[in-house]
Amino acid sequence: MATATTAASAFFPVSSPSSNSSSSTATSVKASMGFKPKPVNGSGNLQVKANAQAPTKVNGTKVRLDPLKSDETTTISAAPRTFYNQLPDWSVLLAAITTIFLAAEKQWTLLDWKPKRPDMLTDAFGLTDAFGIGKIVQDGLVFRQNFSIRSYEVGADKTASIETFMNHLQETALNHVWTAGLLGDGFGATPEMSRRNLIWVVTKMQVLVDRYPAWGDVVKVDTWVAASGKNGMRRDWVIRDSKTGEVLTRATSVWVMMNKVTRKLSKMPDEVRAEIGPYFVEWAAIEDEDSRKLPKLDDDSADYVCKGLTPRWSDLDVNQHVNNVKYIGWILESTPVSIMESHELAGMTLEYRRECGRDSVLQSLTAVSTDCTDDKPPDTGMECNHLLRLEEGPEIVRGRTNWRPKRARPIPAENA
């Protein structure tokens, strides 16, 4: 205690009280704070045993003590009483306060993550999707999942891009297989497919967009599957506004199986059909599909050509080929900027001819048509034909896109 008092006085030098009244006042303050003062002799000095080992330095200040015998005592002048010396040890109290704040912060974090939208809250029976994984509805035949439009998914028009929609379609397809308990060790492959080294590949897709959501909107995606011929599977989607139920996008696609070792198409084994057959329903998201033949483009028939397109490592999926969503971005690379500035993509039809690898170099070709439909004037919309091919010539994707004039958005009134 004497050592601590000496050290404190080195940093907080205060003149010692001279009157007895001041001494008694200080003693009473200590008593009220739960501290018992050390007994002091008549001369105001502290009694210290000679065999107490005091350091030769206190906070860098040398303290000189004469050696004494073990049975003798010496006196050291008491350090001046200061306000600092009378304070209790606050470290325990500070540690307790810190622990309380950390616990409160952790609890607040656990509570704050919950979505603030009523349509995203879960109820006691788990009927709504609180964690974004999705759920099975309509007698186990339809998978449903909600998505919030993020800021990084919004383009120059302040609305979600077509790539955002395509990512939602792909995500719900995979989560459907997972939630239904059909996911093997592959990317959307069932257990029987995994045993045979089979994977799904898309051969055709059609998407119709009625309206694009904006940043912060929540969309509800429904998807289901059906048979497509003997060896194919059709998957459909409907995207709605989660608040109003308005249909925003409809899409349909055809998938076949490919051996991931030989990279050749395969028939659907009976064992695989037995796995996925119970989930087939004959509902169509798009009643009138675009069955028109997609024309082949070349350098002479194309109006715009973009060369030197190469996939990045991040464009590959787990099956080591380019994600089909990436193809859409490459197709739009050769679409005139003037069209994208004045029109928005209303629909597209894609035919996938072959896969694209990591070392591929591609070209994007676009031919523009002024007529979108036969019964409407040319300024109501435009149609474009597309081709994505390797530089060596083989085709990757053929496509057709329909464009409509952008909707006029109200301009917010200026404050008076």
Side-chain angles (χ1 to χ4, degrees):
M1 186 68 176
T3 303
T5 307
T6 305
S9 62
F11 288 92
F12 302 89
V14 180
S15 58
S16 177
S18 57
S19 63
N20 294 333
S21 61
S22 299
S23 176
S24 61
T25 302
T27 303
S28 62
V29 170
K30 285 186 176 182
S32 64
M33 299 177 67
F35 288 85
K36 295 182 179 180
K38 293 290 185 178
V40 183
N41 61 3
S43 60
N45 297 329
L46 296 176
Q47 296 292 330
V48 181
K49 288 294 183 179
N51 58 357
Q53 301 296 323
T56 57
K57 289 186 179 181
V58 177
N59 293 335
T61 304
K62 292 183 178 180
V63 178
R64 183 174 180 178
L65 298 174
D66 294 333
L68 299 173
K69 295 181 181 181
S70 59
D71 58 347
E72 294 180 356
T73 59
T74 185
T75 59
I76 301 177
S77 299
R81 293 187 179 88
T82 63
F83 177 75
Y84 175 80
N85 293 340
Q86 302 178 40
L87 291 176
D89 186 1
W90 294 98
S91 59
V92 177
L93 180 60
L94 180 61
I97 295 176
T98 303
T99 303
I100 295 174
F101 272 101
L102 291 177
E105 182 182 10
K106 183 177 180 180
Q107 186 67 19
W108 178 258
T109 302
L110 294 175
L111 294 175
D112 191 53
W113 72 268
K114 294 182 179 179
K116 297 181 176 59
R117 299 178 183 272
D119 56 342
M120 295 178 65
L121 293 175
T122 183
D123 57 18
F125 301 98
L127 298 179
T128 51
D129 176 26
F131 298 97
I133 300 175
K135 60 181 179 179
I136 300 292
V137 297
Q138 298 189 18
D139 298 329
L141 300 176
V142 176
F143 177 78
R144 177 172 296 168
Q145 186 171 0
N146 288 350
F147 294 92
S148 178
I149 304 302
R150 312 296 182 181
S151 59
Y152 51 82
E153 297 173 327
V154 175
D157 295 330
K158 300 181 181 180
T159 57
S161 62
I162 185 64
E163 289 90 346
T164 298
F165 274 159
M166 298 299 291
N167 283 323
H168 290 169
L169 302 186
Q170 178 175 281
E171 182 70 10
T172 52
L174 294 174
N175 288 340
H176 184 192
V177 178
W178 176 34
T179 307
L182 296 177
L183 187 64
D185 59 357
F187 197 54
T190 66
E192 291 294 337
M193 292 176 61
S194 299
R195 293 187 185 98
R196 294 165 173 78
N197 290 323
L198 298 177
I199 59 176
W200 290 111
V201 292
V202 59
T203 60
K204 184 176 181 180
M205 178 170 288
Q206 182 180 358
V207 181
L208 300 178
V209 182
D210 295 328
R211 182 174 69 84
Y212 289 91
W215 172 37
D217 290 347
V218 178
V219 297
K220 178 174 60 179
V221 185
D222 287 355
T223 183
W224 61 92
V225 293
S228 178
K230 294 182 179 181
N231 297 305
M233 181 185 72
R234 193 185 79 236
R235 178 173 287 278
D236 289 10
W237 297 268
V238 173
I239 302 179
R240 296 181 175 89
D241 186 298
S242 65
K243 288 185 176 180
T244 64
E246 174 193 0
V247 175
L248 305 179
T249 302
R250 293 167 291 149
T252 185
S253 61
V254 177
W255 299 74
V256 296
M257 295 183 182
M258 183 179 74
N259 189 295
K260 65 180 180 180
V261 177
T262 63
R263 316 306 287 186
K264 294 182 179 180
L265 297 182
S266 172
K267 293 182 179 180
M268 181 182 294
D270 294 336
E271 294 81 0
V272 176
R273 190 182 304 276
E275 285 181 319
I276 63 178
Y279 297 91
F280 286 171
V281 291
E282 294 303 324
W283 302 333
I286 300 177
E287 296 292 342
D288 299 326
E289 296 186 21
D290 187 357
S291 59
R292 293 177 296 165
K293 183 178 179 180
L294 296 175
K296 179 180 179 180
L297 298 182
D298 53 29
D299 293 333
D300 296 330
S301 58
D303 299 316
Y304 302 90
V305 179
C306 182
K307 300 181 179 181
L309 301 174
T310 57
R312 300 171 299 178
W313 178 259
S314 58
D315 298 329
L316 304 179
D317 59 23
V318 297
N319 294 321
Q320 297 301 310
H321 62 220
V322 175
N323 191 298
N324 64 81
V325 178
K326 182 62 180 179
Y327 295 146
I328 299 174
W330 281 336
I331 286 176
L332 298 180
E333 285 291 332
S334 60
T335 304
V337 177
S338 58
I339 293 180
M340 292 189 289
E341 288 178 342
S342 59
H343 292 67
E344 66 180 7
L345 184 62
M348 65 178 181
T349 302
L350 302 175
E351 289 183 0
Y352 296 87
R353 298 302 181 97
R354 61 179 297 169
E355 61 179 339
C356 176
R358 180 180 60 184
D359 300 324
S360 302
V361 181
L362 300 92
Q363 297 178 352
S364 178
L365 291 75
T366 296
V368 180
S369 174
T370 56
D371 292 331
C372 183
T373 57
D374 296 332
D375 57 346
K376 292 183 180 180
D379 58 352
T380 59
M382 304 185 71
E383 185 176 274
C384 299
N385 292 315
H386 307 272
L387 175 64
L388 194 63
R389 69 184 183 187
L390 297 176
E391 280 194 342
E392 297 81 9
E395 297 182 359
I396 302 295
V397 178
R398 287 188 186 184
R400 178 186 295 115
T401 56
N402 296 324
W403 303 79
R404 60 171 170 255
K406 291 183 178 179
R407 295 182 176 92
R409 295 182 175 86
I411 301 176
E414 296 182 358
N415 296 330

